[in-house]
């Protein structure tokens, strides 16, 4: 089993108001592509209810940094009581979603994801020593890159939601 | 399980979607089959069950669709679809009354890459011995970077088009993950 370190632990965004759900999803999609992540949607649920739609998406994109290290992000998006509204912006009618949007982010640094250093107890011991002492600085750099990626994505989503506050 | 079969598991992709609301069941079935055949897969329905349940009709639909790429590689896209509480309703769309269905859907998508589907490397002892070397060095990049990626994009594109057909909010247009 690979070694998994939590670098970003459950950072949250909550927004209540008007926003464009499809555009937001496109932004996340484009960001992950730009950063070289492989998108992996683990869960995608949508329920049409009397008081609006409930949408729940869990994504776990990942990116191999080297043969030994991998970045994994977990994104939990949910929208409660989503209702469609049409607003006119600059003379153009556009459809928005009015509801409560919640997003949570986790970032994990995974080492030895292929399990090559777990086949024997001696290898496992060597791996632990190398991770803790020899590759300490390298892993810290990788962790820092991952933290930046997650926080930048969170910042992009926050700035996008802020734009619609003035709609 | 042979060494080459290991890649069948590594390149296995699994995802699912759940939807509860209004949709057109017959149109969805036609669309999914049409997509598979339009993308040169051989459509094969392995199971179709329909029975009445407490609030409507319950349906189970399972398919395994394959596409031969060349003499060594074969792609599979499978789905397991379940519908609960399927009922006919009349809804208003763009000012007109339209007949649709309502219910709950869960679709599980699976994609799989099969290497050496004809068993060419199984037929001789020499090839069997060379399997590990082939799998670790010769064809590893071809599988991981070539075929597994292509299959991954294809599955994503299919799932996205099903989401768009169901008019789900998470259907993205022109995503680079769709190949």
């Amino acid at each position: 089993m690979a070694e998994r370190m939590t670098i970003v632990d459950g950072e949250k965004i909550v927004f209540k108001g008007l926003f464009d759900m499809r555009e937001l999803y496109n932004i996340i999609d484009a960001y992950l592509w730009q950063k070289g992540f492989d998108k992996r949607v683990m869960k995608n649920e949508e329920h049409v209810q009397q008081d609006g739609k409930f949408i729940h998406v869990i994504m776990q994109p990942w990116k191999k940094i080297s043969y030994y290290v991998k970045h994994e992000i977990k994104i939990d998006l949910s929208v409660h009581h989503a209702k469609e509204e049409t607003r006119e912006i600059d003379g153009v009618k556009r459809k928005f979603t009015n509801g409560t949007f919640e997003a949570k982010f986790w970032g994990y640094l995974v080492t030895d994801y292929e399990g090559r250093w777990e086949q024997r107890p001696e290898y496992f011991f060597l791996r632990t020593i190398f991770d803790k002492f020899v590759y300490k600085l390298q892993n810290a750099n990788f962790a820092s890159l991952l933290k930046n990626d997650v926080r930048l994505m969170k910042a992009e989503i926050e700035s996008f939601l802020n734009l619609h506050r003035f709609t | 399980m042979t060494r080459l079969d290991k890649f069948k598991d590594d390149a296995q992709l699994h995802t699912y979607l759940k939807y509860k609301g209004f949709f057109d069941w017959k149109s969805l079935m036609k669309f999914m089959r049409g997509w598979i055949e339009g993308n040169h897969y051989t459509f094969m329905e392995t199971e179709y069950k329909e029975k009445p349940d407490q609030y409507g009709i319950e349906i189970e639909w399972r398919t395994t669709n394959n596409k031969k790429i060349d003499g060594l590689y074969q792609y599979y896209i499978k789905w397991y679809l379940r519908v609960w509480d399927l009922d006919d309703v009349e809804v208003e769309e763009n000012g007109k009354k339209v007949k649709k269905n309502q219910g709950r859907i869960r679709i599980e998508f699976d994609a799989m890459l099969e290497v050496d589907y004809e068993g060419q490397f199984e037929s001789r002892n020499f090839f069997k011995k060379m399997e590990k070397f082939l799998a670790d060095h010769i064809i590893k990049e071809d599988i991981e970077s070539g075929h597994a990626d292509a299959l991954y994009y294809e599955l994503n594109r299919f799932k996205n088009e099903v989401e768009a057909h169901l008019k789900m909010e998470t259907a993205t247009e022109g995503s680079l993950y769709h190949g």
Side-chain angles (χ1 to χ4, degrees):
Chain A
M1 196 145 186
E3 187 87 4
R4 207 171 189 225
M5 286 169 267
T6 305
I7 308 299
V8 178
D9 191 8
E11 293 196 3
K12 205 171 166 179
I13 300 173
V14 179
F15 176 80
K16 198 172 178 180
L18 217 58
F19 62 97
D20 189 338
M21 181 71 201
R22 290 204 179 188
E23 189 58 36
L24 180 61
Y25 203 71
N26 281 335
I27 284 172
I28 295 172
D29 199 69
Y31 180 85
L32 291 172
W33 178 267
Q34 187 195 355
K35 290 289 176 182
F37 281 89
D38 268 332
K39 193 171 91 168
R40 184 170 52 176
V41 178
M42 306 302 284
K43 186 179 186 177
N44 187 353
E45 278 185 36
E46 197 165 307
H47 299 263
V48 176
Q49 295 160 338
Q50 276 187 335
D51 56 351
K53 269 191 193 177
F54 167 67
I55 301 163
H56 190 197
V57 178
I58 297 178
M59 286 192 259
Q60 282 191 337
W62 53 273
K63 175 168 77 172
K64 286 180 184 173
I65 306 299
S66 69
Y67 285 107
Y68 187 72
V69 177
K70 184 167 87 168
H71 281 173
E72 252 184 35
I73 297 177
K74 185 178 167 186
I75 308 164
D76 188 330
L77 306 170
S78 60
V79 184
H80 301 265
H81 313 299
K83 287 180 184 170
E84 210 173 78
E85 270 188 34
T86 309
R87 292 280 177 99
E88 200 171 305
I89 299 171
D90 299 329
V92 177
K93 281 192 179 175
R94 279 183 59 191
K95 283 185 184 172
F96 290 96
T97 304
N98 192 348
T100 308
F101 171 77
E102 279 181 26
K104 284 187 196 164
F105 304 91
W106 290 265
Y108 304 106
L109 186 73
V110 182
T111 54
D112 189 28
Y113 55 85
E114 289 185 350
R116 290 175 192 227
W117 292 89
E118 291 169 344
Q119 287 146 14
R120 291 171 67 169
E122 308 89 70
Y123 293 167
F124 188 87
F125 173 73
L126 273 171
R127 184 188 86 176
T128 312
I129 297 292
F130 267 70
D131 273 351
K132 290 222 182 294
F133 301 107
V134 180
Y135 293 145
K136 190 176 174 181
L137 192 61
Q138 202 177 24
N139 285 345
N141 285 339
F142 290 142
S144 167
L145 281 171
L146 174 63
K147 212 187 276 189
N148 282 340
D149 282 344
V150 176
R151 290 199 172 145
L152 194 57
M153 175 167 47
K154 189 173 162 238
E156 281 217 18
I157 293 172
E158 278 174 339
S159 67
F160 174 79
L161 292 170
N162 272 327
L163 283 171
H164 284 294
R165 198 182 277 182
F166 303 104
T167 306
Chain B
M1 184 184 273
T2 63
R3 182 72 188 169
L4 285 175
D5 282 346
K6 177 185 178 288
F7 286 97
K8 208 157 64 170
D9 297 328
D10 285 348
Q12 197 153 4
L13 303 159
H14 178 80
T15 184
Y16 79 93
L17 68 87
K18 278 165 92 168
Y19 177 77
K20 180 185 168 188
F22 304 107
F23 57 96
D24 189 333
W25 168 237
K26 283 190 178 152
S27 165
L28 178 66
M29 278 181 77
K30 244 189 212 175
F31 171 78
M32 288 177 79
R33 181 173 178 159
W35 192 96
I36 284 292
E37 288 176 339
N39 283 271
H40 314 293
Y41 280 82
T42 304
F43 175 78
M44 188 167 81
E45 187 179 272
T46 52
E47 186 182 44
Y48 186 88
K49 284 185 196 171
E50 198 173 301
K51 62 177 182 184
D53 73 4
Q54 200 176 359
Y55 302 105
I57 298 170
E58 187 180 327
I59 296 171
E60 272 182 75
W61 188 31
R62 212 187 283 262
T63 70
T64 301
N65 316 294
N66 68 311
K67 174 163 81 172
K68 288 177 185 169
I69 305 301
D70 55 30
L72 194 61
Y73 301 105
Q74 182 167 231
Y75 294 174
Y76 284 93
I77 289 184
K78 308 178 189 179
W79 70 72
Y80 175 53
L81 187 152
R82 282 197 81 171
V83 182
W84 293 270
D85 312 334
L86 185 69
D87 203 3
D88 294 329
V89 289
E90 214 170 65
V91 297
E92 200 168 302
E93 221 170 70
N94 302 324
K96 288 181 189 172
K97 288 215 168 170
V98 173
K99 279 188 184 172
K100 279 201 164 182
N101 302 105
Q102 77 172 10
R104 297 179 287 140
I105 292 183
R106 180 189 162 106
I107 312 176
E108 288 181 19
F109 299 92
D110 265 298
M112 200 172 70
L113 171 67
E114 190 175 7
V115 182
D116 187 30
Y117 61 91
E118 288 180 347
Q120 290 171 0
F121 291 101
E122 307 290 314
S123 57
R124 297 178 190 181
N125 281 333
F126 173 71
F127 287 142
K128 277 185 189 173
K129 287 170 187 170
M130 286 295 287
E131 247 180 11
K132 192 175 186 308
F133 179 75
L134 278 164
D136 283 345
H137 303 286
I138 307 287
I139 60 173
K140 184 180 176 181
E141 281 299 315
D142 196 28
I143 290 169
E144 286 181 5
S145 306
H147 293 283
D149 275 356
L151 185 56
Y152 164 76
Y153 290 135
E154 206 158 60
L155 181 70
N156 268 329
R157 196 159 40 92
F158 179 45
K159 181 174 168 270
N160 188 69
E161 292 194 28
V162 172
E163 286 172 2
H165 192 84
L166 290 168
K167 295 190 174 65
M168 288 175 78
E169 298 292 328
T170 49
T172 46
E173 280 175 19
S175 168
L176 291 158
Y177 286 105
H178 300 156

